[in-house]
Amino acid sequence: MSKKSTDKTAAAAKKTTSAAKTGGANAAPAAAPKPAASGPNPSHSSPVNTALSADEKVELYRKLVRIRRFEERSLRAYQAKKIGGFLHLYIGQEAVAVGCCSLMGKDDHVITAYRDHGHAIAVGMDTKALMAELYGKVTGCSKGKGGSMHYFDPARNFWGGHGIVGGQVPLGAGLAYALKYKGLKGAAMAFMGDGAVNQGAVHEAYNLASLWSLPVVFVIENNGYSMGTSQARSSAGELATRAAGYDMKWEIIDGHDLYDVRAKMEPLLRRAREESKPALVEIMTYRYRGHSVADPDKTYRSKTEIEDYQRTKDPINLFRAILQSEGALTDELIEKIDTEARSEADFAADFAEASPFPTPEDIQKDVYWEADNPSQRTSGGRLFFN
Amino acid sequence: MPLITYREALRHAMAEELTRDENVVILGEEVGQFHGAYKVTEGLLEKFGPKRIVDTPISEAGFIGLGVGASMLGVRPVMELMFWSFYSVAFDQILNNAANIRYMSGGQINCPIVIRGPANGGTNVGATHSHTPENILAHHPGVKVVVPSTPYDAKGLLKSAIRDNDPVFVLENTILYGLEGEVPSEEYLIPLGHADVKRAGTDLTIVTYGRPVIQSLAAAQQLQQEHNLSVEIVDLRTIRPLDIDTVLASVRKTHRVLIVEEQRPFCGVGAQLAYMIQNEAFDELDAPIQRLGTVDAPAIYSPPAEIEQLPNSQRILKAALATMGS
Ligand SMILES: Cc1ncc(C[n+]2csc(CCOP(=O)(O)OP(=O)(O)O)c2C)c(N)n1
Ligand SMILES: [Mg+2]
């Protein structure tokens, strides 16, 4: 067991240092893996990052911190039995959602799996409604009907929050299909975990997206594990390179580095919007907590592995250091952002606590559009049964 | 009124809705260049072009999921399943995504998708191609299920389905595609959730839908001629929403009920109907409610045996006589 787990650790470490590979139909053959980062990452000086004002950088940092504090607070609420079901925390992965969603224009759309708190905050959802949803309250973003895994906010182009591994990926292709059908210059981002890549529906979506030139970027958030199964034990071959079989461009991104995420996602999103072409990216990242907070976390990885990531690759620490070296963040500001994020999370929890639960009458609302809009109902007959 | 086939009626419904609403798009395997596996969509590609009539790869989970996603952004996909039997490979997309998205989003997202195609036995294609999943589909709150039996109904119901803001599943029948019936040339809609009394009678109510409506009509004629029995036939047309009131009104008239369905008995539509009838019209019943369905086994291939596995007019006739106690 211990031998095995060292192998896994080594494999995970190898994966994360081989960032900056690219490939695909319209690209040059995959470049050789870069040696472990020594000099500055060229992504840091990419125009999409250098164009950021100091305030914008601070706001990106603030989002990372807000997500983390929100989730830490939600974990405490879970431990206090305020939250039912599963709670899949995104802690450690924040730079992926924040980096990707920071690039969204008005016609860009996002869909993801059940580990969705980071994306929800990244697209701008109100943490009060998010916490209330965890508490199962009627003030939640889905009125207490979706829970942690099923956040939605179509007004912010956020289409969930999906509980079936891989099931959301064809929907992401469908968002892109609708954009193209309507002649809108937007792109869809369809996020999934590394465990989703072996689902048939994901491959069907890859094929349709490439066959029909849909403006979608498929984003694999590779945190090394699907529940307790390492990538090596679940997937044959590489994940990103599977795109080649569908004649799709692909890229591997360092998900611990927010600037790398932005630098490499931006051209693919632009290409999707302007040329209506799909792409697949594999963003290397890591989750610190158990698969869901109720799950044991000792059987499949070592504590040192987690601590190594926390010490050397934490996305918040790394971005803070970059911004400090750029002079965009002072100690004072860091402190202030953290305090504010903590009190925002506490405030969200207080709001959730004070909010009412749905009533039994609410259970059968939001099932049918027609039932909720009786004045516009055209059908007859019974919609509900007992 | 012009006589057209059930197939043409469906085609006309789609053509009219494609013309009316630019967001309507037809997607499915072989719907375009090939003219449709059962020629339902024949000529639509030529008339509306490849943006509106889209041939998909054999990828039901992929293209139905794509349709669900597109519908969330306001496209109105009308998706053909070559056979409803193939819904099983897209089950997650249909019954997790389409059926649940409105609920799980607290009513923020609609899924105005139509999935249509044939769902029937009787063509000797064996168990994999003969599923009739209306009960399984209708089990899921959030969806609507339509099973038309005549060209007139097929056209009017499909048009309503396409305009509906909830996901609607239309289950057609390959054996009925060639059936002719009167269909007005003027536009009309049949709202979902309205049963239709296909034949009036006083002695026995047959509650049914889909192809067994046609078979029940033949049985009813024979029952009238040879047994002097007056049978009323209620065609549900829509399984969910369910027009139980029309059923109950008929029960109050005849006091005897036979349910006929091209469904296996266990957890079928008839089970739900029988529960509702006894619950809401117990005092009206002069005899136990009877049920005739598919003989409870996977669909048999052997052509003569399959006829006996499914409802047919002779089986219906016998079941009707048994319900009358004779
Ligand atoms: C179809 C399906 N099978 C299994 C599960 C149970 N399950 C939920 S999450 C998960 C692991 C998925 O891992 P991954 O895709 O890597 O995402 P991560 O949890 O790492 O974000 C499993 C097995 C599920 N929800 N859906
Ligand atoms: Mg994973």
Side-chain angles (χ1 to χ4, degrees):
Chain A
M1 190 66 221
S2 67
K3 160 102 176 55
K4 260 198 175 153
S5 97
T6 0
D7 287 353
K8 274 179 271 160
T9 312
K14 183 178 136 267
K15 276 183 293 168
T16 45
T17 50
S18 67
K21 275 203 275 181
T22 73
N26 313 302
K34 285 244 164 109
S38 44
N41 182 334
S43 289
H44 293 199
S45 48
S46 103
V48 70
N49 292 323
T50 53
L52 289 168
S53 69
D55 281 350
E56 287 167 335
K57 291 174 182 175
V58 169
E59 287 318 305
L60 289 172
Y61 176 75
R62 186 193 302 277
K63 267 207 170 143
L64 297 173
V65 176
R66 285 177 59 228
I67 294 171
R68 184 154 307 176
R69 298 296 170 246
F70 173 85
E71 290 208 299
E72 287 167 347
R73 185 66 189 79
S74 73
L75 175 58
R76 293 210 301 281
Y78 192 90
Q79 287 158 343
K81 306 229 181 310
K82 299 286 182 193
I83 298 175
F86 300 134
L87 185 70
H88 304 94
L89 298 181
Y90 196 60
I91 295 178
Q93 300 185 209
E94 296 91 342
V96 179
V98 172
C100 290
C101 296
S102 68
L103 299 165
M104 283 170 73
K106 88 172 185 5
D107 287 320
D108 294 338
H109 294 263
V110 172
I111 191 163
T112 187
Y114 47 85
R115 199 177 296 285
D116 58 355
H117 309 163
H119 308 76
I121 295 173
V123 300
M125 287 177 75
D126 178 354
T127 49
K128 291 195 297 303
L130 297 178
M131 191 70 84
E133 187 63 29
L134 300 181
Y135 278 59
K137 298 298 180 81
V138 78
T139 50
C141 54
S142 296
K143 304 183 191 163
K145 290 176 171 170
S148 161
M149 301 192 284
H150 308 118
Y151 281 175
F152 294 88
D153 190 354
R156 289 189 172 78
N157 295 0
F158 180 58
W159 301 92
H162 292 263
I164 300 297
V165 170
Q168 78 283 7
V169 180
L171 270 58
L175 292 168
Y177 183 91
L179 289 170
K180 186 170 181 176
Y181 189 84
K182 296 186 163 197
L184 297 168
K185 292 249 169 274
M189 287 185 270
F191 291 85
M192 70 193 100
D194 50 291
V197 301
N198 301 314
Q199 284 284 33
V202 171
H203 286 264
E204 295 189 32
Y206 289 174
N207 181 58
L208 288 170
S210 185
L211 186 70
W212 292 347
S213 283
L214 302 180
V216 56
V217 180
F218 298 105
V219 181
I220 302 167
E221 295 194 54
N222 188 348
N223 59 15
Y225 299 93
S226 47
M227 283 188 80
T229 306
S230 66
Q231 183 190 334
R233 293 201 302 130
S234 62
S235 294
E238 304 271 329
L239 308 190
T241 56
R242 291 181 183 187
Y246 297 100
D247 201 21
M248 238 186 328
K249 193 174 165 93
W250 57 271
E251 185 104 46
I252 293 175
I253 300 177
D254 177 358
H256 308 285
D257 180 348
L258 189 137
Y259 275 163
D260 201 50
V261 174
R262 283 174 50 86
K264 300 215 172 90
M265 281 297 287
E266 196 276 335
L268 295 176
L269 287 170
R270 189 158 22 93
R271 177 171 169 271
R273 291 180 203 115
E274 289 170 8
E275 301 168 50
S276 194
K277 287 203 174 122
L280 171 63
V281 301
E282 178 182 357
I283 306 191
M284 311 313 294
T285 181
Y286 196 79
R287 75 167 149 75
Y288 297 165
R289 302 287 171 166
H291 167 69
S292 85
V293 298
D295 286 319
D297 197 27
K298 306 228 152 40
T299 57
Y300 59 93
R301 61 178 182 177
S302 65
K303 211 167 159 231
T304 26
E305 179 182 300
I306 303 172
E307 286 165 358
D308 281 351
Y309 274 99
Q310 288 174 320
R311 206 179 52 251
T312 64
K313 292 196 180 303
D314 183 77
I316 298 183
N317 290 346
L318 292 182
F319 195 56
R320 185 195 306 121
I322 294 168
L323 295 197
Q324 280 177 309
S325 73
E326 290 178 356
L329 265 184
T330 59
D331 289 348
E332 213 183 352
L333 193 48
I334 292 166
E335 188 62 38
K336 184 163 180 278
I337 288 170
D338 197 55
T339 312
E340 284 171 358
R342 282 175 200 278
S343 54
E344 178 189 352
D346 284 338
F347 189 64
D350 292 345
F351 171 83
E353 182 71 46
S355 296
F357 287 108
T359 62
E361 293 73 55
D362 290 327
I363 294 173
Q364 286 185 313
K365 291 181 188 149
D366 303 311
V367 179
Y368 288 98
W369 179 87
E370 270 204 319
D372 298 333
N373 296 275
S375 65
Q376 293 172 74
R377 183 170 175 189
T378 57
S379 75
R382 290 192 202 169
L383 284 165
F384 296 99
F385 301 85
N386 47 38
Chain B
M1 267 196 267
L3 270 183
I4 64 168
T5 62
Y6 185 102
R7 168 188 289 113
E8 288 165 328
L10 292 164
R11 184 187 304 147
H12 293 177
M14 285 186 272
E16 288 177 16
E17 295 306 299
L18 281 158
T19 305
R20 184 187 59 81
D21 182 352
E22 62 176 18
N23 284 320
V24 173
V25 53
I26 312 287
L27 296 112
E29 291 159 21
E30 311 293 1
V31 295
Q33 269 192 33
F34 192 81
H35 293 164
Y38 286 98
K39 304 268 174 286
V40 175
T41 52
E42 186 170 27
L44 295 182
L45 174 65
E46 291 72 8
K47 182 149 187 238
F48 295 97
K51 184 180 176 200
R52 312 291 303 283
I53 314 295
V54 183
D55 281 320
T56 66
I58 305 160
S59 190
E60 287 83 359
F63 74 73
I64 289 182
L66 178 144
V68 173
S71 79
M72 303 189 307
L73 273 185
V75 175
R76 301 187 82 94
V78 179
M79 321 211 78
E80 177 170 307
L81 277 173
M82 190 181 286
F83 287 78
W84 259 103
S85 284
F86 308 152
Y87 84 125
S88 49
V89 301
F91 207 84
D92 179 48
Q93 298 303 325
I94 299 171
L95 294 173
N96 257 325
N97 287 344
N100 288 341
I101 197 113
R102 179 172 170 80
Y103 196 68
M104 293 199 308
S105 67
Q108 297 182 84
I109 300 174
N110 291 320
C111 179
I113 194 175
V114 172
I115 305 177
R116 52 154 291 272
N120 58 282
T123 57
N124 324 133
V125 287
T128 55
H129 284 57
S130 304
H131 289 285
T132 53
E134 61 271 17
N135 57 331
I136 295 172
L137 297 167
H139 182 69
H140 296 79
V143 313
K144 296 175 179 171
V145 181
V146 178
V147 191
S149 68
T150 66
Y152 177 81
D153 289 352
K155 182 174 178 190
L157 291 167
L158 180 55
K159 282 171 65 79
S160 291
I162 294 172
R163 297 183 190 191
D164 204 285
N165 286 333
D166 294 310
V168 185
F169 307 144
V170 181
L171 280 63
E172 304 160 4
N173 190 306
T174 54
I175 296 173
L176 297 182
Y177 280 146
L179 179 80
E180 288 193 327
E182 288 191 337
V183 174
S185 7
E186 314 79 63
E187 180 172 43
Y188 67 97
L189 294 164
I190 300 175
L192 308 187
H194 289 273
D196 183 39
V197 177
K198 285 282 193 294
R199 178 190 168 105
T202 51
D203 299 328
L204 169 70
T205 297
I206 294 183
V207 187
T208 183
Y209 57 90
R211 180 167 167 242
V213 170
I214 310 298
Q215 299 165 322
S216 298
L217 284 166
Q221 199 169 2
Q222 204 179 336
L223 284 161
Q224 182 74 64
Q225 283 162 0
E226 296 172 12
H227 300 272
N228 199 28
L229 274 179
S230 166
V231 177
E232 176 144 307
I233 295 180
V234 178
D235 178 357
L236 293 176
R237 301 201 290 198
T238 304
I239 307 300
R240 188 170 187 149
L242 181 67
D243 178 6
I244 195 71
D245 292 342
T246 298
V247 174
L248 295 175
S250 180
V251 174
R252 285 188 196 104
K253 209 165 121 190
T254 64
H255 311 290
R256 282 186 161 78
V257 187
L258 170 65
I259 298 163
V260 182
E261 54 185 343
E262 192 180 319
Q263 278 263 289
R264 290 179 285 255
F266 195 87
C267 298
V269 172
Q272 175 69 21
L273 282 169
Y275 164 74
M276 293 174 80
I277 295 168
Q278 67 79 31
N279 191 42
E280 299 183 41
F282 187 73
D283 291 338
E284 298 287 344
L285 291 170
D286 287 348
I289 299 164
Q290 298 295 330
R291 229 170 15 142
L292 175 75
T294 303
V295 175
D296 199 14
I300 193 165
Y301 156 68
S302 175
E306 192 184 16
I307 292 171
E308 293 311 315
Q309 183 173 16
L310 298 177
N312 60 50
S313 48
Q314 287 319 296
R315 288 185 70 213
I316 295 169
L317 186 131
K318 279 193 210 124
L321 291 174
T323 312
M324 298 309 296
S326 39

